[in-house]
């Protein structure tokens, strides 16, 4: 039942969140987003489009509501509307207008995007039967792209919407699996290395927190970025780890979701063995490279300290 309701509920949720995030008008933005998302879902269902593309359409409607509500509220205030009446008028007018407008103009485009994304993933999984090498290469490339986009702050406006679009019909997601492999497992490996072989005493606590949040919540993947930034070899090793894990995900036909603890993620996966193998290999590679580089840096620091000590001793 939950899976069946997901296509109808998700546009409402993302529309409300999108409106609230940009409107800064409290309940007025939320109500407008809920109205737009709800009307969008109903009109799309009536037109028999199966709520395809509802995530992107709902997000667009919510963001538009969030941008318009403050201006309509200000206009109502200048016209002498009481605060409650201004809020109701702004929320209702903007929400209903954007719901109808997006359902009639934007949803057909987002529905096409949703269908094409699902077709691309299905084609990729089928490709392993005819050309496993190409299938693995595509998976590796997309996985490395996840790392590259994540480091540039594109997760919430590019990667997460793509994951939700793939999952909007209630199933698992190949992109969601790459989220856990390329971002969470890599980050956990780098953080675990910095926890095990910290370059300075202050680093260990931060790395331990990053590893704990990655493992238990599938979140805080940015915890590893400072360690990747300071060492190019660790950075390259992270991309290599993500590529190997992405190739395994494509070959294994892995679908999963984001923001779940590793044990729970494995328990709900249709391919737990393949997913566990991809997560483990990715973690081991990123951990091994980072530990090696941290040990090398510590050795260099020890040599410098010993050299300074010898110099000071020779002075006496």
């Amino acid at each position: 039942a939950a899976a069946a309701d997901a296509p109808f509920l998700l546009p409402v949720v993302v529309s409300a969140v999108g409106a609230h995030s940009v409107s800064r008008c409290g309940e007025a933005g939320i109500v407008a987003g809920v109205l737009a998302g709800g009307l969008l879902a109903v009109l799309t269902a009536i037109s028999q489009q199966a709520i395809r593309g509802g995530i992107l359409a709902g997000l667009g409607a919510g963001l538009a509501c969030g941008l318009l509500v403050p201006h309509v509220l200000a206009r109502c205030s200048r016209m002498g509307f009481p605060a409650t009446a201004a809020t109701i008028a702004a929320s209702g007018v903007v929400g209903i207008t954007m719901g109808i407008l997006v359902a009639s103009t934007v949803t057909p485009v987002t529905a096409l995007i949703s269908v094409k994304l699902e077709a691309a993933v299905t084609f990729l999984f089928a490709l392993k039967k005819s050309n496993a090498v190409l299938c693995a290469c595509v998976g590796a490339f997309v996985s490395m792209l996840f790392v590259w986009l994540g480091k540039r702050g594109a997760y919430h406006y590019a990667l997460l919407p793509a994951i939700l679009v793939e999952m909007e019909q209630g199933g698992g997601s190949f992109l969601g699996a790459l989220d856990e492999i390329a971002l969470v497992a890599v980050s956990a490996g780098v953080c675990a290395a910095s926890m095990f072989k910290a370059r300075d005493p202050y680093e260990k606590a931060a790395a331990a927190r990053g590893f704990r949040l990655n493992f238990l919540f599938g979140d805080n993947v940015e915890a590893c970025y400072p360690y990747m930034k300071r060492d190019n070899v660790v950075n390259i090793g992270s991309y290599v780890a993500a590529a190997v894990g992405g190739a395994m995900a494509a070959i294994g036909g892995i679908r999963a979701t984001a923001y779940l603890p590793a044990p729970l993620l494995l328990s709900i996966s249709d391919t737990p063995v393949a997913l566990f193998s991809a997560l483990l290999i990715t973690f081991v590679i990123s951990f091994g490279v980072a530990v090696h580089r941290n040990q090398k840096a510590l050795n260099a620091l020890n040599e410098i300290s010993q050299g300074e000590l010898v110099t000071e001793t020779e002075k006496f």
Side-chain angles (χ1 to χ4, degrees), residues 231-249:
D231 194 317
N232 284 332
V233 176
V234 173
N235 187 46
I236 294 171
S238 298
Y239 277 97
V240 172
V244 173
M248 295 177 67

Side-chain angles (χ1 to χ4, degrees), residues 7-18 30 33-41 54 58:
F8 295 91
L9 295 178
L10 285 176
V12 180
V13 174
V14 297
S15 179
V17 172
I30 297 175
V34 170
L35 281 175
L39 191 57
L40 168 67

Side-chain angles (χ1 to χ4, degrees), residues 4-228:
D5 291 340
F8 295 91
L9 295 178
L10 285 176
V12 180
V13 174
V14 297
S15 179
V17 172
H20 178 64
S21 65
V22 297
S23 72
R24 308 300 181 192
C25 291
E27 66 274 8
I30 297 175
V31 172
V34 170
L35 281 175
L39 191 57
L40 168 67
V42 171
L43 292 177
T44 306
I46 292 174
S47 64
Q48 297 181 349
Q49 294 176 17
I51 320 297
R52 277 285 188 177
I55 294 291
L56 292 180
L59 181 60
L63 293 175
C65 288
L67 294 173
L68 290 174
V69 162
H71 298 288
V72 177
L73 276 175
R75 181 68 175 176
C76 289
S77 297
R78 287 195 294 269
M79 293 173 63
F81 279 50
T84 301
T87 299
I88 294 173
S91 302
V93 170
V94 172
I96 293 173
T97 301
M98 293 313 303
I100 296 173
L101 185 63
V102 171
S104 59
T105 60
V106 179
T107 302
V109 178
T110 58
L112 180 63
I113 294 174
S114 175
V115 171
K116 294 298 183 183
L117 177 60
E118 179 60 29
V121 173
T122 302
F123 174 77
L124 177 62
F125 287 170
L127 184 62
K128 65 182 178 182
K129 297 179 180 179
S130 58
N131 195 331
V133 174
L134 180 58
C135 176
C137 288
V138 173
F141 173 78
V142 177
S143 190
M144 289 190 294
L145 187 63
F146 259 63
V147 178
W148 188 82
L149 290 173
K151 289 178 63 180
R152 281 153 184 80
Y155 181 82
H156 288 97
Y157 68 79
L159 300 180
L160 183 58
I163 294 171
L164 292 175
V165 167
E166 190 184 354
M167 294 181 65
E168 68 179 348
Q169 298 304 308
S173 165
F174 171 64
L175 298 180
L178 291 187
D179 177 283
E180 292 285 344
I181 293 168
L183 299 180
V184 176
V186 167
S187 180
V190 174
C191 289
S194 296
M195 178 178 64
F196 180 67
K197 285 287 183 182
R199 298 191 186 187
D200 63 69
Y202 304 102
E203 180 179 298
K204 187 172 184 177
R209 181 178 184 275
F211 172 76
R212 184 171 62 252
L213 292 179
N214 274 278
F215 183 77
L216 295 179
F217 299 98
D219 197 6
N220 197 38
V221 298
E222 64 274 10
C224 71
Y225 293 161
Y227 312 128
M228 294 170 65

